[in-house]
Amino acid sequence: KGKPGGLILTGIKPGSFFRKMGLRSGDILTGVDGKNIESVDDAMKFYENLKSASDVTLHLKRRGRTEAINYHIE
């Protein structure tokens, strides 16, 4: 429908912060805390908000299935 369906993730390295969150290369990040990811700007806002967040819920597509990952930031 002409709208981005999320942001595809690549280059997630073993042991990285994003890997510890449960993300993997090939995942399509579709939303964070109920807000859709429709642009790189949306993804950058998510990244900036991680600095002050204590919990985050990631919505993604992995291998054609929709998943939600809840992560507590310490």
Side-chain angles (χ1 to χ4, degrees):
K1 296 181 182 181
K3 286 182 148 183
L7 186 70
I8 192 163
L9 304 176
T10 61
I12 305 289
K13 297 180 180 169
S16 70
F17 174 74
F18 293 109
R19 181 64 179 217
K20 290 176 185 173
M21 290 181 77
L23 299 172
R24 294 191 167 89
S25 292
D27 288 348
I28 301 171
L29 186 62
T30 59
V32 179
D33 292 333
K35 296 177 185 160
N36 291 337
I37 299 287
E38 297 179 342
S39 68
V40 174
D41 288 336
D42 291 342
M44 293 306 294
K45 287 177 194 172
F46 152 66
Y47 182 75
E48 287 296 318
N49 290 339
L50 283 178
K51 295 176 182 176
S52 61
S54 59
D55 292 291
V56 66
T57 301
L58 306 173
H59 303 276
L60 56 96
K61 290 182 184 175
R62 179 179 292 159
R63 297 181 184 170
R65 293 191 337 244
T66 302
E67 296 186 27
I69 297 174
N70 297 309
Y71 187 79
H72 177 71
I73 301 169
E74 297 178 8

